[in-house]
Amino acid sequence: MASEDISKLAESLAKTKVGGGQLSFKGQSLKLNTAEDAEEVIKQIEEFDGLEALRLEGNTVGVEAAKVIAKALENKSELKRCHWSDMFTGRLRSEIPPALISLGDALITAGAQLVELDLSDNAFGPDGVRGFEALLKSPACYTLQELKLNNCGMGIGGGKILAAALKECHRKSSAQGKPLALKIFVAGRNRLENDGATALAEAFGIIGTLEEVHMPQNGINHPGITALAQAFAINPLLKVINLNDNTFTEKGAVAMAETLKALRQIEVINFGDCLVRSKGAVAIADAVKEGLHKLKELNLSFCEIKRDAALTVAEAIEDKAELEKLDLNGNCLGEEGCEQLQEILEGFNMAAVLGSLSDDEGEEEEDEEEEEDEDEEEEEEEEEEEQQQLKDRGQGEQESLTPKKIIDSQDSTPVPSPPVDVATFLAFPSPEKLLRLGPKCSVLIAQQTDTSDVEKVVTTLLRISSVFKDEAPVKTAVHEITDALMRKAFTSATFNSDAFITSLLIHMGLLKSEEKIKAVPSLYGILMTLNYMVQQDYFPKPLVSVLLAFVTKPNRALDSCSFARHMLLQTLHQL
């Protein structure tokens, strides 16, 4: 390690905060790659008597450095809180599991009894959960009260591994007479989807001591929401439920409303951007009216709630003396509805609790059309459930982390799936249709795309990437089609690479255009596809810096896909 680097490290460590049993290296941007790099950190840890909390967030720790830090922790039996979020910036995903294993083994060896473990904002994916699985099952976590895993990209597979570890921890700790009593669980932005949420719901039902659950932005639909609702009903101490930006629909909202009737300690309900719609909102309003006297915050914003249902919600909070905030912004009240809402709350002397209504969508009158849309969505969801049940029967008791597939039942005369052609897939893309295109799909799509037309190439790429899943068959198919299409495009003499990247950035909403072009609804798929594409030999190296500049800029759409953004930025920095 160069002398000037040691001087900088020493200067950073001079700012280290010590007090109340806590040693903090928070936000010092330390780059700890080797054992030598970590010498000063180790010294501080070793010399700290009575270490109860260690803050390592905002630094980057490599495998070798993690091993020596772990060695220093092996005699820190009083350690209770590990604030280890955002501590692997710029690391390969393959580096993170072994680093976590070393640190976890050290805590087990030390005989620590953790109260809080925070590994948020570490893009470790499903494999990363394996890195601290043993720790979660060990006596070091029998006393765990707070588990924070926000924005880690765990996916369905990671959610299942985590759920199994929590159940095992509860089983083992119960055998010793002190069952795991987890209070706070945080796992937002992890793409857990229905299967991951359902697995965790089973663990929550067994634990039964939760006070706060934060699981926003996980792609959970009504089957997963219903499973969570059933688990929450067996956790009577729940105070905070944050499921923002998932998809309840009426079924999920009604199930959650029934659970709310059984809970007496609820203080915060955040179902914003959850598509509870009017019927779901009325069900939740009934639950609020019947009880929830400790309610402080109710968020039902951006849920496609119409005027009458919103007014029902307002009437339900009449006797909620503790209420501090009611958020009904972004719904469909109309100007008159907004005024009526305010009048109702003024009548209760509660006008101050109402949040802004500046993003109200205006009153809609297309009830029949909305009901038809809801029916179609529910039919699609029921079909997905049936397909999952068929898969479960085919697998028996075997645990599987493989992706969902459309499969036939085990009957002797299975009904074949209708054939899909390229045009049908590109018009209405879905992972199932992609797989049904067959092994020649990459060749077919590349052949049928005019690569002299930049817009067609961009549109095709966006539609392919929109079905991306971090699951083997779909992921492989997306990569193969991307390779065939973009290799053909970039090697064509008539293809304009600069025009391509400009058009792509516009469609992603990262670059403004004089023409009104609607940005894609989610950037997750294209970001993950770009993460793969930029590493291929056909991708023009000059475009790397262009992408880096735009993906680095602050952007709301990028913020909602922080895991995919982090992955792409990490790759771009390495190229």
Side-chain angles (χ1 to χ4, degrees):
M1 193 174 188
S3 58
E4 59 267 26
D5 292 332
I6 294 174
S7 299
K8 287 179 182 177
L9 179 59
E11 187 177 338
S12 293
L13 292 173
K15 302 173 184 177
T16 299
K17 295 179 182 178
V18 178
Q22 173 175 283
L23 177 60
S24 175
F25 301 96
K26 182 179 178 180
Q28 295 185 16
S29 300
L30 302 175
K31 295 181 180 179
L32 308 177
N33 298 317
T34 66
E36 187 181 2
D37 294 339
E39 281 179 358
E40 289 293 329
V41 173
I42 293 165
K43 183 181 178 184
Q44 295 267 2
I45 293 172
E46 289 177 339
E47 293 178 354
F48 197 110
D49 292 328
L51 180 64
E52 294 183 6
L54 178 61
R55 308 195 75 104
L56 290 173
E57 62 264 60
N59 300 290
T60 178
V61 181
V63 176
E64 188 179 340
K67 286 180 180 178
V68 292
I69 291 172
K71 191 69 178 173
L73 292 173
E74 286 183 356
N75 62 350
K76 300 298 178 181
S77 60
E78 296 178 19
L79 187 62
K80 292 179 174 62
R81 299 184 182 273
C82 297
H83 302 279
W84 294 350
S85 63
D86 189 24
M87 60 178 269
F88 296 109
T89 304
R91 300 290 169 186
L92 296 172
R93 272 174 67 171
S94 59
E95 293 181 85
I96 302 176
L100 288 173
I101 289 170
S102 295
L103 293 167
D105 287 349
L107 298 177
I108 297 169
T109 301
Q113 294 185 318
L114 295 185
V115 173
E116 179 180 0
L117 177 62
D118 186 355
L119 292 170
S120 299
D121 300 313
N122 290 311
F124 46 60
D127 292 339
V129 185
R130 293 286 189 199
F132 61 93
E133 180 184 16
L135 173 64
L136 277 182
K137 294 178 179 179
S138 76
C141 285
Y142 290 178
T143 50
L144 195 64
Q145 295 179 17
E146 300 179 31
L147 179 58
K148 300 174 182 178
L149 299 166
N150 202 54
N151 190 33
C152 292
M154 291 190 291
I156 295 171
K160 288 184 174 182
I161 297 167
L162 175 61
L166 287 172
K167 288 190 289 185
E168 182 70 1
C169 180
H170 186 272
R171 185 186 67 80
K172 288 182 175 179
S173 57
S174 297
Q176 293 194 4
K178 294 182 178 179
L180 171 67
L182 192 67
K183 294 181 179 180
I184 298 174
F185 180 82
V186 182
R189 294 184 177 182
N190 271 293
R191 298 188 68 81
L192 294 169
E193 301 183 20
N194 289 332
D195 287 359
T198 301
L200 285 166
E202 188 178 337
F204 297 162
I206 292 170
I207 293 168
T209 55
L210 288 167
E211 295 180 11
E212 295 185 23
V213 176
H214 303 263
M215 295 174 66
Q217 293 186 8
N218 269 300
I220 309 170
N221 298 326
H222 82 78
I225 296 298
T226 300
L228 288 171
Q230 292 167 349
F232 293 165
I234 322 171
N235 283 265
L237 302 177
L238 265 176
K239 296 178 181 178
V240 178
I241 302 177
N242 176 7
L243 294 174
N244 189 285
D245 200 8
N246 289 292
T247 307
F248 281 41
T249 63
E250 182 188 347
K251 285 184 178 180
V254 169
M256 194 61 70
E258 285 301 310
T259 285
L260 291 175
K261 291 177 183 178
L263 299 175
R264 294 287 176 265
Q265 306 300 321
I266 290 290
E267 296 178 4
V268 177
I269 298 171
N270 187 345
F271 297 159
D273 204 11
C274 281
L275 204 66
V276 304
R277 292 203 173 108
S278 295
K279 292 178 182 177
V282 170
I284 291 169
D286 287 344
V288 171
K289 191 171 184 177
E290 286 186 21
L292 305 189
H293 296 293
K294 295 183 179 182
L295 189 64
K296 294 180 179 179
E297 181 178 335
L298 175 59
N299 184 347
L300 293 174
S301 60
F302 299 93
C303 281
E304 293 190 7
I305 301 170
K306 293 190 176 182
R307 180 181 62 180
D308 290 348
L311 299 182
T312 301
V313 173
E315 291 166 351
I317 66 167
E318 179 179 2
D319 62 346
K320 304 301 174 248
E322 302 292 321
L323 195 71
E324 299 171 1
K325 183 179 180 182
L326 172 63
D327 193 346
L328 287 168
N329 198 17
N331 287 301
C332 310
L333 281 66
E335 186 175 344
E336 185 180 344
C338 290
E339 291 174 359
Q340 289 176 325
L341 182 65
Q342 291 165 334
E343 287 172 6
I344 288 172
L345 293 174
E346 285 171 3
F348 301 154
N349 197 27
M350 297 178 73
V353 306
L354 183 62
S356 169
L357 296 173
S358 59
D359 292 319
D360 186 74
E361 296 288 342
E363 190 168 11
E364 295 180 1
E365 298 179 357
E366 301 173 1
D367 290 339
E368 291 183 8
E369 184 177 329
E370 181 184 283
E371 286 177 8
E372 288 176 5
D373 290 343
E374 288 183 20
D375 290 341
E376 287 177 7
E377 285 183 14
E378 288 178 5
E379 284 175 9
E380 289 176 4
E381 288 173 349
E382 285 169 4
E383 285 178 8
E384 288 179 7
E385 287 181 61
E386 288 173 6
Q387 290 159 9
Q388 182 63 32
Q389 288 168 4
L390 288 173
K391 185 180 84 170
D392 292 342
R393 283 202 294 270
Q395 286 176 330
E397 296 297 321
Q398 184 179 356
E399 176 75 4
S400 174
L401 303 183
T402 56
K404 295 178 182 177
K405 297 178 183 178
I406 293 183
I407 60 171
D408 299 321
S409 67
Q410 303 302 310
D411 295 338
S412 57
T413 56
V415 179
S417 299
V420 174
D421 57 21
V422 170
T424 302
F425 166 71
L426 291 177
F428 304 101
S430 72
E432 292 78 15
K433 288 175 185 170
L434 177 64
L435 295 176
R436 279 158 53 192
L437 276 173
K440 295 183 179 180
C441 59
S442 57
V443 176
L444 292 172
I445 291 176
Q447 285 176 346
Q448 295 181 35
T449 304
D450 181 5
T451 51
S452 64
D453 187 333
V454 167
E455 280 301 311
K456 284 187 178 177
V457 174
V458 170
T459 302
T460 302
L461 178 64
L462 288 170
R463 288 179 179 173
I464 294 163
S465 63
S466 70
V467 305
F468 179 90
K469 284 189 174 183
D470 197 18
E471 300 167 347
V474 177
K475 181 178 180 180
T476 300
V478 170
H479 287 173
E480 288 176 353
I481 298 171
T482 300
D483 282 340
L485 174 66
M486 298 315 302
R487 188 181 297 279
K488 178 185 175 184
F490 285 129
T491 55
S492 171
T494 58
F495 189 70
N496 188 328
S497 299
D498 292 334
F500 164 79
I501 201 69
T502 299
S503 175
L504 182 61
L505 291 168
I506 290 170
H507 282 278
M508 291 173 69
L510 306 183
L511 182 63
K512 290 183 179 179
S513 170
E514 293 179 2
E515 300 177 15
K516 288 188 176 180
I517 296 177
K518 189 176 180 180
V520 293
S522 171
L523 294 182
Y524 177 79
I526 186 60
L527 289 173
M528 294 300 285
T529 303
L530 282 170
N531 183 53
Y532 169 80
M533 194 168 80
V534 298
Q535 300 178 63
Q536 309 311 308
D537 57 4
Y538 56 75
F539 189 82
K541 298 307 176 189
L543 299 187
V544 170
S545 58
V546 178
L547 262 181
L548 184 59
F550 281 92
V551 179
T552 305
K553 287 182 178 180
N555 183 283
R556 189 175 179 180
L558 287 171
D559 290 341
S560 66
C561 299
S562 52
F563 169 72
R565 180 190 200 178
H566 174 83
M567 293 293 293
L568 178 56
L569 283 174
Q570 184 172 278
T571 300
L572 291 171
H573 279 298
Q574 291 170 356
L575 292 174

